[in-house]
Amino acid sequence: MTDKTPPLSVKIARLVQDIYPDQDANVLASLIVDAFWPAQAPRRKRGRAPGNNLWSQKDALIITYGNSIIDGAYKPLDLLHDFLLRYLNGAVNSVHILPFFPFTSDDGFAVSDFRSVHPQLGDWPDINRIAKDFSLMSDLVLNHVSSQSNWFNAYRQGQPPYDRFFFEADPADDLSMVVRPRTTPLLQEVETTKGPRHVWCTFSHDQVDLDFRNPEVLLEFLRIIRLHVDNGVQIIRLDAVAFVWKVVGSPSVHLPQTHAIIKLMRLLCDHTPEKIILLTETNVPKGENLSYFGNRDEAHAIYNFPLPPLILHAMMSGSAQYLRKWQRAMPPAPLGCAYLNFTASHDGIGMRPAEGLLPEGEKEKVIETVRELGGLVSMRALPDGGQSPYELNTTFYDAMSRTFKGTDDHHFDRFICSQTIVMSLEGIPAFYIHSLLATPNDHAGVEHRGMNRAINRHRWNYPTLQSLLADPASPQAAVMTALTDRLQLRARQTAFHPNATQFTVNLEDARIFALWRQSLDRRQSIFALHNVSDETVTIQGAALNMIEDETWIDLLSGEALHPEIETISLAPYQCRWITNHPS
């Protein structure tokens, strides 16, 4: 039987035609291959077929800055490596080190040199050592670069190829439809050897947007991906990818060319002998976010952005009503794809993903409660000139210190419940380092740095942190122990494979968020129950449909449960993982 699958060069050329219809597709396809596989680097004859073997229930990820842990003596990357091995080995096997390159602002996301490691963090050998022990995620900040980068300086001097690397517009253009996450002016006037120019700045005036209409920009980023892969990176995070293609007079977000660029990157990654996972970062409403799976030909994984605001609301309100409604309507990830589940990241808790999922009145309650606990609110500009809450700035640990009712004695249990939900859902769980460390809001950091997001970007002194982790009575030790114990337990359960079957159990009592997970081989079932309220809740045992003639046990408490049990009780914020085949 003849294999009718087109060769890689033909597939690349077809995508090139979609992105750059005015270019010679075959010539550009050849340049793309040379950029991604220089010097005849090996590649697969056939693309990696979509499947469930890129990840397993053993996968869990920590999100951290390269200098989240410091001591003033050792390189921060070496301290991070020590922390990972000492405290998280066996619980977390993947690490996302946020931009570790030289930068000028935005804590790394205004990159000035994509090919170097920031000297204050370490160097490539330090990155290599971490990559040998953990699956490593790096950031491809492909929408913009620092206004002080060599690329932008060369642009201002009219030096090719950088003289065509940046997106220019005219202040007279109709830019009213442009979707943005910031309130600063979109265009910035700069002086160049060709006279004044107005460059596009989606995020800030220190972050100047690149012009992907120039294929040289795409080729350069393919070379950068290759550099990262050669240094042990396995997961490429496409930062702010939704904005990379601009068209004056349009919203300039989620444009067809953007999706075609991701398809091209996915095609190349699936033809590498190394395992490379593409993760898109698109902090937008549900439908727009899901579109980045494409037809199983774009991102391998996407952030599950509605989770943080919905879990936050559930824990503050004591009702999983909206979390459950959203989850019931969520599709399983396509074959070969997965969700990345989280409650907190280096950014705030995005409110745009809650659009259409939380009523305005409920969102206002969340925002007010965050303000009452000492958190902050960042705004975004609207096309009509107004502003809207874009994200809530607080550590998730502190966010769990208060509910709509006020403060109580359930802070710890409420927080652990919120993180257990992340572990139970279909997908790969990810945890910001400050969630694992029960870090409180850093108000001094906000005052010192003049930036709301600094509240959630504390830098721990390592000796101080180690002392706290050695004290069982500290919140840091209690949270770290509870979460790592559950992660190690989770890693042994095949029903928690990222693509294992999931069904949202529609219990009458909205105080319980309940899921049924079943392993790919259908051997193990787990009923994951989470009481999001401060009250003891009892449910009917029959609601779980536990298979007869099998022994069921709650993995978290060790309690044996008979299939014919009449009722099951959950204390305030208690979670249960009830299974028929514990591992």
Side-chain angles (χ1 to χ4, degrees), residues 28 31-33 35 214-224:
L28 187 48
L31 292 174
I32 286 170
V33 169
N214 176 4
E216 288 294 334
V217 175
L218 174 62
L219 291 172
E220 186 60 25
F221 275 103
L222 296 180
R223 297 183 191 105
I224 291 167

Side-chain angles (χ1 to χ4, degrees), residues 249-310:
S250 81
S252 294
V253 65
H254 313 312
L255 295 183
Q257 294 89 339
T258 295
H259 287 280
I261 288 172
I262 299 171
K263 289 177 183 179
L264 174 62
M265 291 180 173
R266 168 71 179 262
L267 178 64
L268 297 174
C269 290
D270 282 348
H271 276 80
T272 59
E274 307 95 339
K275 180 177 79 171
I276 307 177
I277 294 172
L278 283 182
L279 171 70
T280 51
E281 186 265 335
T282 53
N283 191 356
V284 293
K286 168 188 165 184
E288 298 169 37
N289 191 36
L290 289 172
S291 72
Y292 285 87
F293 279 140
N295 185 21
R296 302 188 312 179
D297 56 358
E298 293 188 36
H300 294 94
I302 65 172
Y303 281 87
N304 214 344
F305 273 112
L307 261 184
L310 287 174

Side-chain angles (χ1 to χ4, degrees), residues 80 98 111 215 222 264 431 484:
L80 174 61
L98 290 151
V111 179
L222 296 180
L264 174 62
F431 303 89
T484 53

Side-chain angles (χ1 to χ4, degrees), residues 278-508:
L278 283 182
L279 171 70
T280 51
E281 186 265 335
T282 53
N283 191 356
V284 293
K286 168 188 165 184
E288 298 169 37
N289 191 36
L290 289 172
S291 72
Y292 285 87
F293 279 140
N295 185 21
R296 302 188 312 179
D297 56 358
E298 293 188 36
H300 294 94
I302 65 172
Y303 281 87
N304 214 344
F305 273 112
L307 261 184
L310 287 174
I311 290 180
L312 180 65
H313 176 271
M315 307 310 299
M316 285 183 168
S317 68
S319 170
Q321 173 186 354
Y322 298 106
L323 174 64
R324 182 172 65 186
K325 180 180 179 181
W326 162 76
Q327 188 58 65
R328 278 206 313 262
M330 279 289 285
L335 182 66
C337 301
Y339 294 108
L340 188 76
N341 298 322
F342 70 112
T343 57
S345 72
H346 61 292
D347 291 337
I349 300 167
M351 294 306 290
R352 281 213 69 205
E355 291 175 10
L357 302 177
L358 282 178
E360 289 302 315
E362 296 300 312
K363 284 195 284 189
E364 286 300 323
K365 289 180 186 178
V366 170
I367 292 169
E368 182 58 31
T369 304
V370 167
R371 285 188 168 124
E372 289 173 350
L373 59 84
L376 304 170
V377 180
S378 294
M379 311 297 285
R380 71 182 182 96
L382 298 176
D384 63 4
Q387 295 186 3
S388 174
Y390 177 68
E391 67 182 17
L392 309 179
N393 302 110
T394 175
T395 68
F396 212 85
Y397 180 73
D398 263 14
M400 293 293 95
S401 66
R402 191 179 187 94
T403 69
F404 292 167
K405 298 177 182 178
T407 57
D408 56 27
D409 296 328
H410 297 298
H411 185 185
F412 174 82
D413 291 332
R414 187 159 47 241
F415 177 73
I416 298 302
C417 178
S418 73
Q419 303 308 294
T420 305
I421 292 174
V422 171
M423 299 184 204
S424 302
L425 284 162
E426 173 199 343
I428 301 166
F431 303 89
Y432 189 35
I433 188 170
H434 294 304
S435 292
L436 291 171
L437 295 177
T439 306
N441 284 334
D442 189 349
H443 293 286
V446 174
E447 184 175 352
H448 176 69
R449 302 175 64 195
M451 179 175 66
N452 282 3
R453 285 179 169 178
I455 200 171
N456 192 29
R457 298 179 180 179
H458 181 70
R459 292 172 186 163
W460 279 100
N461 174 269
Y462 200 21
T464 301
L465 177 61
Q466 288 181 301
S467 296
L468 289 168
L469 291 174
D471 177 8
S474 74
Q476 286 67 40
V479 165
M480 175 70 81
T481 299
L483 294 183
T484 53
D485 284 352
R486 288 195 179 183
L487 282 168
Q488 290 172 343
L489 180 62
R490 178 190 182 278
R492 299 194 295 271
Q493 315 307 319
T494 54
F496 283 141
H497 185 285
N499 299 116
T501 297
Q502 176 172 289
F503 179 78
T504 307
V505 182
N506 194 24
L507 298 176
E508 290 185 7

Side-chain angles (χ1 to χ4, degrees), residues 64-71 74-77 79-81 83-84 87 433-434 437 458-463 465:
T64 179
Y65 281 101
N67 61 352
S68 290
I69 299 173
I70 55 177
D71 69 355
Y74 293 95
K75 291 183 288 187
L77 286 174
L79 297 178
L80 174 61
H81 193 193
F83 170 79
L84 294 170
Y87 296 103
I433 188 170
H434 294 304
L437 295 177
H458 181 70
R459 292 172 186 163
W460 279 100
N461 174 269
Y462 200 21
L465 177 61

Side-chain angles (χ1 to χ4, degrees), residues 18-34:
D18 291 338
I19 307 168
Y20 304 107
D22 297 332
Q23 298 283 330
D24 185 312
N26 293 324
V27 170
L28 187 48
S30 179
L31 292 174
I32 286 170
V33 169
D34 291 342

Side-chain angles (χ1 to χ4, degrees), residues 57-128:
Q57 65 275 7
K58 297 178 181 179
D59 289 306
L61 184 140
I62 179 174
I63 305 164
T64 179
Y65 281 101
N67 61 352
S68 290
I69 299 173
I70 55 177
D71 69 355
Y74 293 95
K75 291 183 288 187
L77 286 174
D78 282 347
L79 297 178
L80 174 61
H81 193 193
D82 181 82
F83 170 79
L84 294 170
L85 291 172
R86 188 184 300 267
Y87 296 103
L88 294 178
N89 208 15
V92 167
N93 66 353
S94 306
V95 55
H96 172 200
I97 306 178
L98 290 151
F100 47 78
F101 321 105
F103 70 97
T104 54
S105 65
D106 199 20
D107 282 345
F109 286 92
V111 179
S112 56
D113 181 358
F114 288 96
R115 297 183 172 277
S116 301
V117 175
H118 198 297
Q120 292 182 4
L121 300 179
D123 208 339
W124 282 115
D126 307 305
I127 294 291
N128 302 153

